[in-house]
Amino acid sequence: MTMHAQDPDLKEAIGAQADAAFATVQALYRQLHQYPELPFQEHATSARLAEALEHLGLEVTRGVGGTGVVALLRNGEGPTVMLRGDMDALPIKEETGLDYASTRTAETESGTVPLMHACGHDLHSSCVVGAAAVMAGLKDQWSGTLMLICQPAEEIFGGARAMLEDGLYERFARPDVILGQHNMPALAGTVGHRAGGAMAACTNLAVTIHGAGGHGSMPAQTVDPVVIAAHVVTRLQTIVSREVPPEETVVVTVGKLHAGTQANIIPHSAELEINIRSFDNALHRQVVEAIERIIRAECEAGRSPTPPEFRVLNETLALHNDPAAVERVRQAHGEHFGEANLYAMPRLNGSEDFPYFGNAQAGGFGGEDIPYVYWFIGATPEERWQATPGNSMVEKMRHLEMPHSPYYFPGNEVTLRTGIEAMAAGALAYLG
């Protein structure tokens, strides 16, 4: 019998395959968690994931976009569905107390840093492998091509573009739909969806303001970049209040301001790093241009001898889930998990480089845009959830560890199982 997302037998079939693969996937997850690696340094991580996918019989290619992995499961005629998981870690010292907690460090330009999977990318990539196992076990019940991506360097918004620039769609396949997910501190076993704008665009901008340094007792003989930088920081706050429509959400944060070495020395330069977030790509570009305009004007007003320098550290697009695709995947998840275990996801100011895979035109990679769905899986065990104060999901999450915390751990059995089945059910909504 051909099965579809609304067929009750499909839930049992997915569950049975997830049961069969779970112990292996959980062991993989714990290994990835214990040995995290920084962006574009995921050599051992990608090798483990590639081996796991090869063991399932998929066509696997390593080293795409640096350390990325691409796997194909071809199964006759039909659409191509892409499942994406990221795999890089963060420079954070783990404090979870797990018996497989990370104790690893890495050498960077700033020195030795501790490493931790504090955002759950080890969970995401393990779920991709688990979904591949489920789909490989159900090949007689679907038709098409399953394309699986283990992506590097999401934390610095670099991996998606690196894989695209390495010919991802030209070398392998151009998907008809792209599916991805992220953990969050909601109740484990639940799945959240949001159509349209779901996550913010982000630009991290480094700025150098030039002055003419000298003795602190003779400011008239200098051009003080600290004073110019102080005016910049204050004036940038007027962008949101005076240039952005009130109904829009934009954040402009000066997260770094560094100048000088001691009190009686006026330095030659000041360094700023600015974080910009918004939910509209066109408006986002206007805000970045306004920041550059203001900084140039303040430098001219302050007699800066050299124009300011701007350098984009990293950036990504706003994440806009395709409404029709969201509804299709949400229906499949509702049939699989039950409507009571679905929730309406609030819009997040956090950012992802996942949109580059779908927003081919906006990302500068040519071709038509591809519909995508990015959903969220809960990561808080029920006992902890029930003991957490608050009457709503938003209230409870204020009291829970968030991603990028040294205490954050999303990899409980329920969340891992949910992530595997959510990806498989989503894929079968198109391939079944």
Side-chain angles (χ1 to χ4, degrees):
M1 178 180 67
T2 301
M3 296 185 177
H4 302 280
Q6 65 269 27
D7 295 331
D9 289 346
L10 185 60
K11 177 179 179 178
E12 296 181 9
I14 293 173
Q17 294 297 328
D19 282 341
F22 187 79
T24 299
V25 176
Q26 185 178 49
L28 171 66
Y29 164 75
R30 293 182 176 184
Q31 188 179 45
L32 297 180
H33 186 87
Q34 190 170 6
Y35 299 102
E37 294 173 301
L38 289 174
F40 288 125
Q41 299 178 26
E42 312 95 332
H43 302 290
T45 300
S46 61
R48 291 185 178 106
L49 291 164
E51 290 167 4
L53 291 165
E54 286 167 347
H55 183 72
L56 293 169
L58 277 68
E59 303 170 27
V60 177
T61 302
R62 310 179 188 211
V64 181
T67 49
V69 177
V70 178
L72 296 174
L73 183 58
R74 305 181 195 272
N75 193 31
E77 297 296 322
T80 296
V81 175
M82 176 174 141
L83 304 183
R84 176 268 203 174
D86 40 18
M87 57 182 179
D88 55 321
L90 289 157
I92 295 174
K93 179 176 173 55
E94 182 163 355
E95 302 288 354
T96 61
L98 295 167
D99 57 4
Y100 51 94
S102 168
T103 59
R104 288 176 58 83
T105 60
E107 298 299 322
T108 70
E109 293 180 358
S110 303
T112 303
V113 297
L115 300 180
M116 178 190 176
H117 269 296
C119 202
H121 294 186
D122 48 349
L123 175 74
H124 302 160
S125 52
S126 297
C127 288
V128 165
V129 173
V134 171
M135 297 296 286
L138 296 176
K139 287 183 71 174
D140 61 338
Q141 298 167 11
W142 61 273
S143 180
T145 299
L146 187 68
M147 181 177 179
L148 302 115
I149 302 297
C150 296
Q151 180 209 305
E154 185 281 329
E155 293 292 354
I156 60 172
F157 305 146
R161 282 181 291 181
M163 296 188 79
L164 288 164
E165 289 166 359
D166 200 12
L168 177 65
Y169 294 156
E170 295 78 14
R171 292 170 59 188
F172 302 100
R174 186 175 182 86
D176 296 291
V177 67
I178 305 167
L179 308 180
Q181 63 185 6
H182 202 292
N183 66 90
M184 67 173 299
L187 174 63
T190 61
V191 183
H193 307 85
R194 182 180 181 87
M199 298 184 76
C202 176
T203 298
N204 289 310
L205 184 67
V207 181
T208 300
I209 294 174
H210 296 284
H215 201 287
S217 67
M218 296 181 287
Q221 311 302 318
T222 72
V223 174
D224 192 341
V226 177
V227 174
I228 297 173
H231 282 288
V232 164
V233 172
T234 302
R235 183 62 184 264
L236 290 183
Q237 308 313 307
T238 66
I239 295 174
V240 174
S241 65
R242 289 298 177 266
E243 297 191 38
V244 173
E247 65 272 14
E248 297 288 349
T249 299
V250 173
V251 174
V252 177
T253 298
V254 180
K256 175 182 175 181
L257 173 54
H258 177 77
T261 56
Q262 64 182 51
N264 65 342
I265 302 173
I266 293 174
H268 277 289
S269 63
E271 306 286 338
L272 297 85
E273 290 186 9
I274 306 167
N275 178 256
I276 308 104
R277 295 180 189 267
S278 71
F279 292 94
D280 181 276
N281 290 319
L283 176 61
H284 190 86
R285 187 47 47 197
Q286 293 174 24
V287 172
V288 173
E289 290 171 356
I291 290 170
E292 295 180 359
R293 183 193 76 234
I294 286 170
I295 292 174
R296 288 192 182 96
E298 291 291 352
C299 287
E300 184 176 352
R303 299 182 296 116
S304 178
T306 306
E309 298 175 28
F310 301 94
R311 180 166 59 94
V312 175
L313 299 174
N314 49 61
E315 64 181 346
T316 189
L317 304 165
L319 192 154
H320 286 271
N321 281 319
D322 181 81
V326 168
E327 181 55 34
R328 188 166 182 170
V329 170
R330 188 197 174 283
Q331 182 177 351
H333 287 166
E335 294 292 336
H336 186 78
F337 296 107
E339 288 290 329
N341 290 313
L342 305 187
Y343 58 89
M345 184 67 199
R347 194 167 68 169
L348 296 180
N349 265 350
S351 304
E352 254 276 359
D353 70 350
F354 177 80
Y356 281 111
F357 288 119
N359 295 124
Q361 292 177 325
F365 298 104
E368 295 297 321
D369 287 350
I370 303 169
Y372 60 78
V373 184
Y374 193 77
W375 64 82
F376 298 84
I377 54 174
T380 305
E382 184 172 7
E383 184 177 354
R384 174 82 188 281
W385 184 259
Q386 297 301 335
T388 300
N391 296 318
S392 69
M393 182 180 73
V394 173
E395 290 174 352
K396 284 181 178 289
M397 285 198 298
R398 293 192 183 119
H399 300 277
L400 296 166
E401 297 84 9
M402 297 293 291
H404 294 212
S405 161
Y407 301 97
Y408 186 64
F409 168 64
N412 62 81
E413 291 188 4
V414 174
T415 300
L416 180 57
R417 176 68 179 261
T418 301
I420 294 169
E421 296 186 12
M423 296 206 96
L428 286 166
Y430 287 87
L431 298 171

